[in-house]
Amino acid sequence: MRGTAEKTPLSLESPLSGFQKRQALYREFNSAERRRATNRNHYDPVEGNDGGCGTGLVAPRSPERACFVSRAGERTRVPGARAPCPLPLCSPGACGTELDMEPQRSPLLEVRGNVELKRPLVKAPSRLPLPGTRFKRGPDQMEDALEPEKKRTRGLDTVTKIATSHPRAPALTARPQTQGQTTALKVPKKTGPRCSTAIATVLKNQKPGPAVPAQKPAAAAPPMMGGKKPTKRPAWDLKGQLCDLNAQLKCFRERTQTLNQENLQLQDQLEEAQQQARALGAECRTLEGELARVQAQAEQGQQELGNLRAHVLELEEQLGTQEGLVQELQKEQLGLQEERRGLAARLEEQERRLQASEAALSGSQAEVACLRQEAAAQAAALVEQGERLHGLEMERRRLHNQLQELKGNIRVFCRVRPVLPGEPTPSPGFLLFPSGPGGPSDPPTRLSVSRSDDRRGTLSGAPAPTTRHDFSFDRVFPPGSGQDQVFEEIAMLVQSALDGYPVCIFAYGQTGSGKTFTMEGGPGGDPQVEGLIPRALRHLFSVAQELGGQGWTYSFVASYVEIYNETVRDLLATGTRKGQGGECEIRRAGPGSEELTVTNARYVPVSCEKEVEALLHVARQNRAVARTSQNERSSRSHSVFQLQISGEHAGRGLQCGAPLSLVDLAGSERLDPGLALGPGERERLRETQAINSSLSTLGLVIMALSNKESHVPYRNSKLTYLLQNSLGGSAKMLMFVNISPLEENVSESLNSLRFASKVNQCVIGTAQANRK
Ligand code: ADP
Ligand code: MG
């Protein structure tokens, strides 16, 4: 790249050749001008190197400043005339020459100026150069030729024989050498400024002083006759004197004639010179125009040159940038080449692997074909197994239902809560849990409550006898039973809801016996004390997911209401309705529909236990708000959690749906008849009556269903009316009777146990799944 940069000037030569030619021409012209200027300066009296006045080398430079010289040698100053010659031996009267202090004007113009002034000139033999000879060498030479003549003419005292030169002969060589001053004008025949320089040198060395006295008029002397010195005539020889004078006069006349002739010649020469001067002036103007044009071209050329230099600099800068770029690209190229080599090696490796893979692939393809055949066979087997599985599932459901029926469509579990801290420990034997027929390993199904008859003991004075009350249920949970154990017993029942059987689970018992604990769970959110509702829903979600593998899809919609004093209130209400206890009504979903809905209640789709937890949290909050306004209202109301389950097997066009109802009943305790009836107690009485009424109705409904009566009094209470789809027909019912372990509650415990026993004796007909 450096080589290119070095070649750049060469490449620029071609476009600049025209300009360079003009430059060369301009330089030549300038050098010539400088030489001429140098020569002029050399003669310039301002520089002090002029040989003296009278040389004629410096003529007036302009007509305005020229001295007007009269024929008689008198000099008249004109406006703008120059100062007299400062040289000591040169007086104005003597030489008649004014020194021009302005060296800049062209001599040619001075000649023309003189002509224009029409200054009378003494006719003398012309020493002017002829056209094509001296004038072409420069205006200075013409000055050289003119000035001595002027001086002679101005002097008039000097009789100079001026030879009329041939028009084309050099003026200086044609002049006679009769006078000293003219002798000085003998200069070599040289052209151009050198000639002027030579003349100037000669004139400078010559002292002009003696020339003036030599030109003193000799008129006073008698004319020389025959080359002899004339003798002075005596004063009396007047005739002789007259003869001399006549001879002298004749001589002067001849001379006058000669001078007149010479004058005519000089006038002719002057005209020629004027013509030449005009021609030269025209030529000068042409040259000046040419000079101006060349100067303009030179300036333009300079400007172009400057532009080109700037452009060259810019190009050089760009070149530097490009070189840097090229270096970077070269580096990058090297890197890429290296990378390319690496990639080529990798490509070879990949190709080798590809070949190996292709070989393996062909083997694998054969294997895949085998596997596909196997897969097809397995798919067929899978379909067959699916069919079998579906048959088995249906069989499972049928057997499961049979099992539930064998267990009873109405089952009763008894659960005794533990003695809480701070509560009196019951006497031993107050509650007994006798083992079943299979021994202690069998789950307990029996409960014995010992009650002492205080009245009989007091009357006889003997210790009060105890009466043992034995109860038998489907399952009895002693105080130490955990929530998981309880749920384990009902899990299969809950799963029946997925099979399309309505399921209803009650918690019955007096207040504080553990109903809410059983249904919702204990306080603190401890998973160990989680109640049946969250456990049942989690179990349903899990089983529904498993059944999804067999083509079943399930959806769940939850609602939670409480029935207090025969009014229904939404426990899931949020926002402005939260805690307001806005009344809801139980309505059929549509005309002719068996399905019941609660107006103004929220029905929330749920799909995971988190959502169920959130709903239970909202229900607890709503109960807490109600508790502040009405004393322990929760224990005086029935809480009904319902989950509407809908299942569908799209592949087989099967649908099933059933409600799961989990009911936390109001406290079953009766009002103490011995209590005084104040305003609060009257309100409590109404509550209790409503509760007892609804619970009695529940018992009556169960009895009616058991006895297969034609009329089932569902409408006698809001509770049974709401739960009618979960009680009759194919419904499966489970009742938890919750018992307090305290002896003080024995009366209510016995009442509960009796009510539960009645229910337990009921057998509702064969359950039918709600299948479509
Ligand atoms: P109810 O709802 O029948 O009025 P609760 O469920 O509120 O009764 O129970 C009353 C108290 O007894 C609560 O503090 C509860 O935590 C406690 N409790 C009930 N059952 C159990 C149990 N099985 N284990 C431990 N604590 C229980
Ligand atoms: Mg409760």
Side-chain angles (χ1 to χ4, degrees):
M1 296 305 289
R2 283 289 171 204
T4 309
E6 289 165 2
K7 285 175 185 174
T8 304
L10 292 176
S11 61
L12 293 173
E13 185 179 24
S14 178
L16 290 176
S17 61
F19 171 70
Q20 286 177 340
K21 284 175 185 174
R22 285 196 296 276
Q23 283 283 85
L25 185 63
Y26 178 67
R27 279 196 296 273
E28 189 180 347
F29 182 81
N30 276 344
S31 64
E33 279 294 304
R34 277 196 298 274
R35 279 198 300 275
R36 278 196 289 276
T38 307
N39 290 334
R40 277 199 301 274
N41 291 337
H42 186 68
Y43 305 131
D44 198 331
V46 176
E47 299 292 332
N49 56 356
D50 194 351
C53 58
T55 60
L57 290 173
V58 178
R61 298 305 171 97
S62 67
E64 293 81 15
R65 295 184 179 182
C67 291
F68 181 80
V69 183
S70 67
R71 181 180 291 270
E74 297 170 355
R75 186 167 58 90
T76 306
R77 290 288 298 226
V78 295
R82 300 294 180 268
C85 178
L87 295 176
L89 294 178
C90 181
S91 64
C95 67
T97 302
E98 300 268 342
L99 290 177
D100 191 353
M101 302 302 287
E102 185 179 347
Q104 299 299 327
R105 299 296 300 266
S106 168
L108 285 176
L109 296 178
E110 305 304 333
V111 172
R112 187 175 61 182
N114 287 337
V115 171
E116 287 169 1
L117 280 174
K118 299 189 187 309
R119 186 175 58 186
L121 297 173
V122 177
K123 191 170 183 180
S126 175
R127 293 181 291 111
L128 290 170
L130 291 174
T133 57
R134 293 293 299 272
F135 283 129
K136 288 187 177 177
R137 293 168 189 167
D140 294 341
Q141 284 75 10
M142 189 176 69
E143 293 287 329
D144 295 342
L146 286 174
E147 286 302 314
E149 186 58 31
K150 285 181 190 173
K151 285 190 283 186
R152 280 194 305 277
T153 306
R154 288 167 193 154
L156 283 184
D157 294 338
T158 306
V159 178
T160 308
K161 186 177 181 181
I162 303 171
T164 55
S165 61
H166 191 275
R168 295 196 178 274
L172 293 177
T173 54
R175 287 174 60 186
Q177 303 177 7
T178 54
Q179 297 298 327
Q181 192 172 1
T182 56
T183 306
L185 294 173
K186 282 185 179 177
V187 292
K189 287 184 181 178
K190 287 186 179 177
T191 60
R194 284 180 180 278
C195 177
S196 301
T197 309
I199 293 169
T201 309
V202 171
L203 291 176
K204 189 177 177 183
N205 295 333
Q206 185 183 5
K207 291 185 178 177
V212 177
Q215 291 181 1
K216 291 273 184 181
M224 292 173 63
M225 294 297 178
K228 294 180 184 176
K229 193 175 180 181
T231 56
K232 192 175 180 182
R233 292 180 189 278
W236 49 266
D237 192 4
L238 294 172
K239 194 176 179 180
Q241 289 179 0
L242 187 62
C243 286
D244 290 343
L245 285 172
N246 282 336
Q248 206 172 355
L249 181 63
K250 189 181 175 183
C251 187
F252 276 123
R253 277 177 182 161
E254 287 173 358
R255 193 173 171 193
T256 302
Q257 281 180 351
T258 307
L259 286 171
N260 283 338
Q261 287 175 358
E262 194 177 345
N263 191 24
L264 287 173
Q265 288 176 354
L266 282 172
Q267 282 180 352
D268 291 341
Q269 279 188 342
L270 178 62
E271 284 179 5
E272 280 181 24
Q274 285 173 346
Q275 285 178 357
Q276 288 175 354
R278 280 192 290 275
L280 287 171
E283 190 181 355
C284 179
R285 283 192 293 279
T286 307
L287 287 171
E288 283 177 348
E290 181 73 15
L291 175 63
R293 190 175 59 78
V294 168
Q295 282 178 341
Q297 284 180 351
E299 286 177 2
Q300 188 181 354
Q302 287 283 358
Q303 196 171 352
E304 286 179 7
L305 184 63
N307 291 341
L308 286 169
R309 279 181 181 149
H311 189 57
V312 164
L313 284 175
E314 190 180 341
L315 286 173
E316 283 178 349
E317 196 173 334
Q318 285 182 5
L319 183 65
T321 309
Q322 295 292 335
E323 281 177 355
L325 213 66
V326 165
Q327 285 179 354
E328 282 182 16
L329 286 172
Q330 283 174 346
K331 280 183 190 171
E332 196 174 341
Q333 186 187 9
L334 287 173
L336 287 172
Q337 283 175 351
E338 193 68 29
E339 193 176 347
R340 181 174 161 276
R341 280 193 288 275
L343 286 172
R346 280 182 57 193
L347 183 64
E348 284 181 13
E349 177 66 22
Q350 294 291 340
E351 281 176 351
R352 276 198 301 276
R353 286 186 188 174
L354 183 65
Q355 287 175 354
S357 298
E358 280 175 352
L361 182 65
S362 58
S364 298
Q365 280 173 346
E367 199 175 339
V368 164
C370 282
L371 287 171
R372 274 182 183 158
Q373 287 178 352
E374 280 182 29
Q378 284 182 357
L382 200 64
V383 170
E384 192 182 340
Q385 283 184 0
E387 288 293 327
R388 279 186 59 202
L389 192 64
H390 179 70
L392 289 172
E393 170 63 20
M394 291 295 113
E395 185 66 12
R396 183 201 65 76
R397 290 190 181 199
R398 192 183 64 79
L399 291 174
H400 179 77
N401 191 47
Q402 270 189 0
L403 177 64
Q404 299 301 318
E405 284 175 0
L406 287 173
K407 285 184 176 178
N409 283 343
I410 297 179
R411 277 181 278 171
V412 178
F413 290 174
C414 176
R415 186 179 191 187
V416 181
R417 73 162 174 85
V419 177
L420 300 175
E423 290 179 339
T425 306
S427 56
F430 169 64
L431 288 175
L432 295 173
F433 302 92
S435 300
S441 59
D442 275 0
T445 56
R446 292 191 295 169
L447 171 68
S448 295
V449 180
S450 298
R451 182 184 182 184
S452 61
D453 192 348
D454 294 336
R455 284 181 302 168
R456 287 168 58 188
T458 305
L459 289 172
S460 63
T466 56
T467 308
R468 182 170 169 168
H469 303 271
D470 293 327
F471 298 93
S472 176
F473 299 103
D474 294 291
R475 179 71 195 269
V476 174
F477 293 99
S481 303
Q483 298 278 63
D484 50 344
Q485 285 177 287
V486 175
F487 179 73
E488 198 177 326
E489 283 296 317
I490 68 159
M492 299 302 285
L493 179 66
V494 168
Q495 194 171 336
S496 290
L498 288 175
D499 298 339
Y501 300 98
V503 176
C504 186
I505 300 175
F506 295 101
Y508 182 93
Q510 69 173 115
T511 300
S513 60
K515 300 183 297 292
T516 305
F517 184 89
T518 301
M519 299 306 289
E520 289 190 16
D526 184 4
Q528 291 294 323
V529 294
E530 230 175 18
L532 295 184
I533 294 175
R535 288 175 190 266
L537 266 71
R538 189 187 308 134
H539 180 71
L540 287 175
F541 294 147
S542 171
V543 175
Q545 198 171 4
E546 286 176 14
L547 290 173
Q550 298 176 23
W552 286 95
T553 54
Y554 284 92
S555 63
F556 306 92
V557 178
S559 65
Y560 206 176
V561 298
E562 72 171 5
I563 300 169
Y564 171 76
N565 266 352
E566 292 299 291
T567 57
V568 182
R569 193 171 73 103
D570 185 15
L571 286 177
L572 301 181
T574 54
T576 53
R577 295 181 59 242
K578 186 174 181 180
Q580 296 299 313
E583 288 192 16
C584 305
E585 291 298 327
I586 303 165
R587 298 269 188 274
R588 295 204 173 270
S593 172
E594 294 287 315
E595 193 178 345
L596 294 171
T597 58
V598 178
T599 59
N600 296 328
R602 284 178 70 205
Y603 284 84
V604 184
V606 289
S607 56
C608 64
E609 55 186 287
K610 291 265 180 196
E611 293 171 354
V612 177
E613 280 177 17
L615 292 183
L616 294 178
H617 179 70
V618 172
R620 273 194 289 270
Q621 280 187 330
N622 278 327
R623 277 206 203 101
V625 172
R627 191 179 299 135
T628 57
S629 57
Q630 298 173 26
N631 187 27
E632 284 299 325
R633 173 173 150 169
S634 63
S635 64
R636 315 298 303 161
S637 62
H638 310 296
S639 298
V640 182
F641 181 89
Q642 283 191 304
L643 187 74
Q644 185 62 42
I645 302 168
S646 302
E648 183 182 11
H649 195 296
R652 300 182 182 276
L654 295 175
Q655 287 181 338
C656 64
L660 169 66
S661 301
L662 302 164
V663 185
D664 182 1
L665 293 171
S668 60
E669 64 274 10
R670 294 159 298 177
L671 195 62
D672 190 350
L675 282 175
L677 290 177
E681 281 71 21
R682 273 197 288 271
E683 179 68 22
R684 183 76 181 270
L685 182 62
R686 274 198 299 274
E687 281 179 3
T688 308
Q689 285 171 346
I691 293 166
N692 290 337
S693 170
S694 62
L695 291 175
S696 299
T697 304
L698 177 62
L700 289 173
V701 165
I702 293 171
M703 294 296 291
L705 288 170
S706 176
N707 297 333
K708 296 189 175 27
E709 294 176 4
S710 58
H711 175 71
V712 181
Y714 291 118
R715 289 182 174 268
N716 285 2
S717 76
K718 291 280 176 65
L719 176 68
T720 52
Y721 186 58
L722 179 63
L723 295 174
Q724 61 182 294
N725 290 333
S726 304
L727 296 176
S730 59
K732 300 179 189 304
M733 194 167 45
L734 173 66
M735 178 174 285
F736 277 95
V737 56
N738 291 92
I739 300 296
S740 167
L742 304 181
E743 285 187 87
E744 60 190 55
N745 294 327
V746 65
S747 178
E748 290 298 330
S749 297
L750 287 172
N751 281 335
S752 298
L753 289 168
R754 286 182 188 128
F755 178 83
S757 293
K758 282 184 187 174
V759 172
N760 198 31
Q761 290 166 5
C762 294
V763 175
I764 302 177
T766 306
Q768 297 289 327
N770 290 334
R771 294 206 187 103
K772 297 172 187 172

